[in-house]
Amino acid sequence: MDQKEFLHFLKHKMPNHPSYEIVPRPYKNAKGVDEIITLMRTHWDLVAWLESNAEIKFSEWVVHCDKHPHEGMTLSHQLMYWLWFEECERFRRGMPTPNPYPPMGYGGWTDEYHAKASSS
């Protein structure tokens, strides 16, 4: 999925709610050049929460993901997935999360993820 397809996905497949507003922010990529990272507000809220609790340094995630791209994902898409996965794992393990409810898509993910893990 290229950036245009990713933005179309965010605009047309996500709920029409203020927490899903699309927000672009510049971050330095692996080459030290500003790159626009486009995430939904809910993900930026998670970034702020994780950073305020000294759980992550998002700027380091940006550089890492830029150095290790995932096939078929833009940098923003990969970061959004990492954030979603982090929140799912925290919720599953009973660790603190910024919300008392699981992230959207958690139910199906946890079943599929653990079925694959147990069969390995």
Side-chain angles (χ1 to χ4, degrees):
M1 169 181 313
D2 65 18
Q3 187 66 11
K4 184 177 177 181
E5 292 168 322
F6 177 66
L7 290 174
H8 184 269
F9 167 77
L10 292 180
K11 288 179 182 176
H12 301 287
K13 301 293 184 183
M14 293 290 109
N16 184 15
H17 186 273
S19 64
Y20 291 93
E21 173 189 5
I22 299 168
V23 179
R25 293 187 183 164
Y27 272 85
K28 299 287 184 202
N29 64 19
K31 295 178 182 170
V33 176
D34 279 345
E35 183 155 345
I36 301 299
I37 305 300
T38 305
L39 300 172
M40 294 175 291
R41 181 162 311 284
T42 186
H43 291 102
W44 288 121
D45 292 347
L46 178 59
V47 167
W49 185 85
L50 289 166
E51 287 189 325
S52 72
N53 289 297
E55 300 281 341
I56 68 165
K57 289 187 178 183
F58 190 68
S59 60
E60 292 176 1
W61 278 31
V62 171
V63 170
H64 178 83
C65 286
D66 191 36
K67 286 181 178 178
H68 304 95
H70 188 277
E71 185 178 337
M73 288 184 159
T74 65
L75 180 57
S76 294
H77 188 181
Q78 187 174 353
L79 288 161
M80 183 178 84
Y81 176 78
W82 274 34
L83 288 162
W84 176 80
F85 188 90
E86 174 71 18
E87 190 172 11
C88 285
E89 268 297 292
R90 294 178 72 81
F91 193 84
R92 185 184 70 79
R93 293 176 183 213
M95 298 169 67
T97 61
N99 301 303
Y101 48 84
M104 184 170 61
Y106 172 82
W109 166 83
T110 190
D111 297 339
E112 289 175 29
Y113 179 77
H114 293 290
K116 287 178 186 175
S118 64
S119 67
S120 300

